[in-house]
Amino acid sequence: MSESSPLAAYFAHMRNSGGIIVQEQPKLDLDLYIQNYTGRTKIDRLIHIGKSSVSLCVDALKIAIAEIKKGSDVALYIDAWGCIRLAAPDEPDAQKDQAWIDRVERENKTEAARLETQLKQYKHNLIKESIRMGNEDLGLHFEKTGYLEAAAEAYTRMRQDVTTTKHIIDCGVHLVNVYIARRDWTMVLNNLGKIVGVQSGEEERLYQPYTKLVSGIALLGLKHYKDAANNFLQVDFTIPPAQYNHIASPNDIAVYGGLLALATMDRQELQSRVLDNQSFRSFLEHESHVRKAISLFVNGRYSSCLAILESIRNDCLLDIYLQRHVLSLYSQIRRKCIVQYFIPFSCVTLESLNQAFAQDGESVEMELVSMIREGILKARLDIKEQLLIADQPNPRLEMQKQALEVAAKYEEEAKERLRRISLIAAGLEAAGRTKGPGLGGRGIDEQWYGEGSAPGQPGAVEA
């Protein structure tokens, strides 16, 4: 790709707009990859690849335009056409299909007017079920044509007329799908909570993969990585992918769950909750390299684990939900590997660390400095001797500190007790307590007489 080519100019523009560009050829086969999806996410993923991958850009955009023309979303077509017009102006699809746009917009307006008229008739007849169905039909139409905000409003109105648990779930699913398309993760979780709250029995089992998957994606979008990992690990493999392939595929679940678990869980958790998890292990069979990376980490082969993860980095960068988090997740995993590698040793040479974790001709020295400053790595760096030395706690010093802390605490408690005794003896305790006739006319709390008997009462011992 020459620097003066339209494709180079297109990706320069994308990079300047804050996009993440993948220059190398990814491992994924575009045709096989996109067959795993249906609905809007299929087109969104194709456009995302068209905006991110230099090698797959034109092919992805051409497939996206073909898929879009099967539907009626003009806004998506304009987006995809705008990309291919800049990236490959000589392609036939780079010519704007104004006739298709005019026809689809006309059909969309006609259908919207018909549905709105129908809904008004239902409202006039005051039949709740008809009104609910009218709002649902209108929402589906707006969602199909790309008017997501109007679709959300229609589905929200639909909620007012629901009468059964299934209606509540259907309404919630519609809203969740719309907010996923809008990347409004907080609203996704809010509406998902309403679905989960009414599920029972077979409905809960049937929708379990969908709710866990969507929760995981929303939490991932909010950067709550540990909670997201927990949700992905709970997805039920026995439910067919047709229940959720309009959101993600089984391969995606394996990658999302595996990477997030690697970034947030220790070796024991990875073994028990990932590798020994029969349901999630079935997902990992779709992505054997992720399973192998986790196994290598658990077995202490950290450099091999990182090498495998590096080999799939480009594929992860082309994922619509994962792309913005790849750098952070990979950094967390790498730091965990360095920490785990160092744990058994009191002293490690920088040369051995470079061999294990550094690229050829590079050093991990600055990375170690950063980890030490952030408190991630409990060690000292000896630049002169080229050593990383573990901070060895002094047991004698720790014991002395603990003894002094206990003594100080005991002294403070003793002072408080003496102060309390003096206040009570002086009659200055808080009002509201039961007082007996104290010595010298002063009231003394009953608790100071052992068994609760004050002077002058039965059982009291008086001088």
Side-chain angles (χ1 to χ4, degrees):
M1 182 178 67
S2 65
E3 295 184 1
S4 60
S5 69
L7 194 61
Y10 167 72
F11 278 107
H13 171 70
M14 287 296 168
R15 187 178 291 105
N16 293 335
S17 301
I20 297 175
I21 309 304
V22 178
Q23 298 283 353
E24 297 80 8
Q25 175 73 33
K27 289 186 175 181
L28 63 84
D29 183 297
L30 184 60
D31 292 327
L32 293 177
Y33 169 77
I34 211 63
Q35 286 176 6
N36 294 322
Y37 307 99
T38 60
R40 186 184 181 92
T41 193
K42 185 175 186 177
I43 298 170
D44 285 344
R45 287 173 181 271
L46 285 166
I47 294 176
H48 176 76
I49 292 172
K51 292 179 178 180
S52 304
S53 174
V54 174
S55 57
L56 298 178
C57 169
V58 178
D59 290 338
L61 291 173
K62 288 166 68 176
I63 298 173
I65 289 174
E67 289 291 331
I68 291 168
K69 285 190 173 182
K70 295 177 184 178
S72 51
D73 192 331
V74 175
L76 270 181
Y77 173 78
I78 296 296
D79 187 14
W81 168 77
C83 292
I84 199 170
R85 177 176 63 89
L86 296 174
D90 296 332
E91 289 288 334
D93 287 321
Q95 305 303 314
K96 191 174 185 180
D97 192 345
Q98 190 62 46
W100 180 86
I101 293 174
D102 294 339
R103 177 177 62 81
V104 170
E105 285 184 336
R106 185 168 57 251
E107 291 174 354
N108 290 346
K109 288 179 181 178
T110 302
E111 180 65 9
R114 184 187 71 80
L115 291 172
E116 287 173 351
T117 302
Q118 182 176 276
L119 180 59
K120 288 178 182 178
Q121 293 175 351
Y122 291 154
K123 289 180 177 179
H124 180 73
N125 295 332
L126 299 177
I127 302 174
K128 288 177 68 70
E129 177 61 13
S130 297
I131 296 172
R132 184 194 68 80
M133 292 176 64
N135 278 313
E136 184 176 26
D137 291 341
L138 195 59
L140 288 170
H141 172 72
F142 284 137
E143 185 178 356
K144 184 175 69 172
T145 55
Y147 295 98
L148 298 178
E149 187 173 351
E153 291 174 359
Y155 291 140
T156 302
R157 292 195 302 269
M158 169 188 168
R159 179 170 280 157
Q160 301 169 7
D161 300 295
V162 297
T163 54
T164 67
T165 300
K166 186 179 185 308
H167 293 165
I168 296 173
I169 293 174
D170 289 344
C171 179
V173 168
H174 288 319
L175 283 167
V176 166
N177 291 338
V178 169
Y179 287 121
I180 287 176
R182 295 177 65 183
R183 306 294 185 264
D184 189 342
W185 305 123
T186 302
M187 291 302 296
V188 168
L189 292 175
N190 288 344
N191 285 280
L192 204 58
K194 295 174 183 177
I195 297 174
V196 175
V198 298
Q199 288 179 346
S200 61
E202 183 62 22
E203 288 173 342
E204 184 175 4
R205 192 188 76 84
L206 187 62
Y207 283 95
Q208 192 267 2
Y210 176 82
T211 56
K212 293 298 181 183
L213 171 60
V214 171
S215 293
I217 290 174
L219 290 165
L220 172 63
L222 295 172
K223 298 185 178 181
H224 298 165
Y225 297 143
K226 184 65 179 285
D227 294 333
N230 290 333
N231 278 279
F232 288 125
L233 294 178
Q234 294 174 42
V235 177
D236 187 355
F237 181 77
T238 60
I239 303 298
Q243 291 288 336
Y244 52 83
N245 62 3
H246 60 290
I247 304 294
S249 68
N251 302 64
D252 294 330
I253 295 172
V255 174
Y256 298 163
L259 287 182
L260 289 167
L262 266 175
T264 59
M265 296 181 182
D266 58 31
R267 292 164 68 185
Q268 288 75 19
E269 281 186 296
L270 287 170
Q271 182 65 53
S272 61
R273 301 192 56 199
V274 181
L275 297 180
D276 294 342
N277 181 341
Q278 291 302 317
S279 180
F280 190 73
R281 193 175 178 88
S282 299
F283 284 111
L284 286 176
E285 296 303 323
H286 292 279
E287 297 288 343
S288 58
H289 44 272
V290 176
R291 174 179 54 80
K292 188 174 182 181
I294 296 172
S295 298
L296 289 170
F297 182 88
V298 170
N299 293 325
R301 298 173 60 187
Y302 306 113
S303 55
S304 300
C305 169
L306 292 176
I308 289 178
L309 293 180
E310 198 61 35
S311 70
I312 63 169
R313 179 192 285 263
N314 290 335
D315 289 0
C316 294
L317 287 171
L318 296 182
D319 185 89
I320 194 169
Y321 301 121
L322 198 58
Q323 184 188 73
R324 294 290 174 182
H325 308 279
V326 168
L327 184 61
S328 174
L329 291 174
Y330 271 55
S331 175
Q332 289 184 39
I333 295 170
R334 179 178 171 81
R335 290 184 167 198
K336 277 182 63 179
C337 288
I338 293 174
V339 170
Q340 291 293 322
Y341 178 89
F342 183 58
I343 284 176
F345 306 104
S346 61
C347 179
V348 176
T349 64
L350 289 184
E351 182 182 357
S352 63
L353 286 169
N354 287 333
Q355 289 176 354
F357 298 106
Q359 300 291 332
D360 292 339
E362 297 182 4
S363 174
V364 296
E365 183 179 316
M366 295 309 298
E367 187 174 5
L368 294 174
V369 170
S370 175
M371 292 173 65
I372 292 170
R373 285 177 175 171
E374 294 174 20
I376 298 172
L377 188 62
K378 305 296 183 183
R380 293 177 291 110
L381 196 59
D382 187 336
I383 300 298
K384 182 178 179 181
E385 300 295 335
Q386 292 290 290
L387 296 174
L388 182 67
I389 304 168
D391 279 342
Q392 297 290 346
N394 187 331
R396 183 185 182 90
L397 181 61
E398 291 295 324
M399 183 191 68
Q400 290 174 346
K401 284 183 179 179
Q402 290 177 6
L404 289 172
E405 288 173 1
V406 170
K409 185 177 180 181
Y410 179 81
E411 183 180 356
E412 186 66 25
E413 289 180 355
K415 287 180 180 178
E416 289 298 325
R417 289 177 183 274
L418 290 171
R419 186 178 294 113
R420 175 68 177 158
I421 291 171
S422 299
L423 288 171
I424 291 173
L428 299 176
E429 73 273 29
R433 289 184 178 274
T434 304
K435 300 177 182 178
L439 299 174
R442 295 174 182 153
I444 299 180
D445 198 297
E446 292 178 359
Q447 65 181 336
W448 296 100
Y449 289 89
E451 299 298 325
S453 298
Q457 294 183 351
V461 179
E462 298 190 28

